[in-house]
Amino acid sequence: MVSPWRHPKTGMFWFRRAVPKALRLQVGALRGRPGKPAHELKRSLRTHDVTEAKARMPGAMAWADGILEAARRGGVPLTDRQAHALAGLWYRRKLDEWEANPAAANDWDHWGEGMPDDAEDVAPDREPPQWWQHQWARFLQGFAGEVDTLLELEGVTTDAASKQRLAELLVQRLSQALTQHNRRLQGDYRPDPLPNTFPAFERAAPPEEVTTRRPAVSFDALYAAWKAVAVVKPRTLADTDYALKSLAAFVGHDDAAKVTTDDVRRWRDSVKAAGATNNTWNNRLSLIRQVFLHGASDGLVQAGLTDGLRLRKSRQKSPRPYTDAEAARILLAARQEQRPSLRWAHWIMAFTGMRAGEVLQLLGGDVRQERGIWFFDVNEDDATKSVKTSQRRHVPIHPALVREGFLAYAQAIAPDAPLFPDKPLDRHGNRGGRAWNVIGKWVRDRVGITSSDTAPDHSWRHRVEDELRAAEVPEDARDAIVGHVRRTTGRQYGVRGEALSRLHRYLSGLPVPAGVFADNVTQ
């Protein structure tokens, strides 16, 4: 079996296959170089990862088989329906490309300058004059590269006449794509009706002697094969299962081996039409991508069918930090609560910047002391815990929490017992899950802070980060306190003793909102 070849300069893996001597001229013609023999077929596998490259090899070999078989047969003509379907795929991809990079559309601003001047004057029932035909042929040559790229992406090999017909359709689609793109630039994002008129692309059945039909594999079987080797959190398992079931419902069958890139693209369009953001789609794509990559490595499904389908990240407005007045209102209201999670969670977030889920999942033994410094041990040691970065960190306990009596409360909790026993596990077995239902809604409903530019839990993190930045605390220490991932030694802060004392010194400088204590001091 042919193995992936790694390019010595770029490190990218390629598929390479020698062309039989008897077919070199025919393959050269099919590849757009008539009269020049092609000695080799090669195609980038578009990855630097050897495992993923091997998973994409079957698709590349099928592509080469198709070219060689077409060379033996003189090329497989496209039906008019197939040509229109391919032009429709190209149209969608251009709009997606320009949405991610609007400047790319500028490359086509002058595409029509080479069109024959009198093209519109040629009567439809008369053959155009020879000079016009030559000029038109030269104009279409400008689209030859787009045609070849499109056919290669779809693994299609066809004859010269079909390529010319496809180039003519791309001219039409380009004009329509530029019109739609200009509407979007002017703020008109009404749904584009044109894609709904394109037929789905259906390949002509390949000759039986080169057909390698994959056996059917259910979505559940594909998911089970991935789950058996996946190292992910329970919620990711549940979300992935949900995403696969949604895709299966959309395509209307239970054979994952039949899913194509166009199926996933149409599913994306459906998800977006239902109101999902680009970020929501990208998250869903990431979930199914990992399953299909594993399936492709086992030869169960087509390789690379989720490639090129990510969308530009949505712009999201970050919530603002709580003001001093808002922070004081929340802390004073929490002081009156009897329920442990409401009594202490907001106090902890206010003086540590910890995530709500990290606070609610703490055990009694996670409140610890070393060298005279009390701290929270943020970890995933228990099955009911989940940390976003999966990294352990130690967060010093602020003097205001000590003064408020938190340590007395925490020391009354058994080491292996939940620090907040009133918080139940969520459906994934995570004690920190669905924090909004416990302490987020309370800020809106009980305290009465309903401003849309605040996030009941996350605004504490922004407040702590702003206060640390105002105190000129170094970035590595700020990241170590609030739990941001860094590629430096900042990851170690809070685990070694000397670093813990440093973080305690910085964190102890966080000011207490006015009015929280009668004397308004932190000691």
Side-chain angles (χ1 to χ4, degrees), residues 17-42 63 67-68 71:
R17 182 170 175 179
V19 176
K21 187 174 182 179
L23 297 176
R24 288 175 182 172
L25 282 173
Q26 295 93 318
V27 170
L30 285 171
R31 303 293 290 154
R33 302 182 67 186
K36 296 184 179 181
H39 296 269
E40 182 183 49
L41 287 171
K42 62 180 181 179
W63 164 77
I67 291 178
L68 295 178

Side-chain angles (χ1 to χ4, degrees), residues 12 24 60 79 108 142 151 265 269 380 402 430 489 521:
M12 189 74 72
R24 288 175 182 172
T79 65
W108 293 93
L151 294 175
R265 183 181 296 106
D269 294 345
E380 291 185 322
V402 178
N430 188 337
T489 54
V521 296

Side-chain angles (χ1 to χ4, degrees), residues 356-372:
E358 294 174 342
V359 173
L360 292 175
Q361 69 188 7
L362 290 169
L363 301 179
D366 293 330
V367 180
R368 298 171 49 196
Q369 185 185 39
E370 285 185 8
R371 301 183 183 182

Side-chain angles (χ1 to χ4, degrees), residues 91-239:
Y91 173 89
R92 291 191 186 97
R93 286 172 183 159
K94 278 298 169 196
L95 283 180
D96 289 345
E97 173 190 337
W98 295 342
E99 183 171 358
N101 179 19
N106 296 335
D107 296 341
W108 293 93
D109 277 350
H110 306 294
W111 68 275
E113 291 181 357
M115 182 180 290
D117 294 336
D118 300 320
E120 298 178 356
D121 297 332
V122 178
D125 57 344
R126 295 180 56 191
E127 181 177 355
Q130 191 170 18
W131 67 266
W132 188 93
Q133 294 183 48
H134 287 317
Q135 193 170 350
W136 176 246
R138 285 197 302 272
F139 175 69
L140 290 182
Q141 276 298 311
F143 287 80
E146 294 289 322
V147 169
D148 289 342
T149 299
L150 173 61
L151 294 175
E152 183 171 341
L153 283 173
E154 297 303 318
V156 175
T157 306
T158 188
D159 57 12
S162 295
K163 286 187 176 183
Q164 176 160 336
R165 172 58 177 151
L166 188 53
E168 293 170 350
L169 291 176
L170 295 194
V171 171
Q172 298 176 21
R173 296 298 176 233
L174 176 61
S175 176
Q176 295 161 333
L178 285 170
T179 299
Q180 179 63 24
H181 179 64
N182 287 331
R183 289 195 187 112
R184 290 181 178 177
L185 290 178
Q186 295 168 13
D188 183 352
Y189 276 82
R190 284 176 294 179
D192 182 5
L194 191 58
N196 294 329
T197 67
F198 301 145
F201 178 62
E202 298 177 357
R203 304 174 188 276
E208 291 184 5
E209 60 268 25
V210 298
T211 299
T212 54
R213 173 73 171 93
R214 291 187 180 90
V217 55
S218 70
F219 283 90
D220 284 345
L222 191 69
Y223 170 75
W226 165 78
K227 181 181 176 182
V229 298
V231 183
V232 296
K233 297 174 182 177
R235 179 169 180 175
T236 302
L237 291 175
D239 289 348

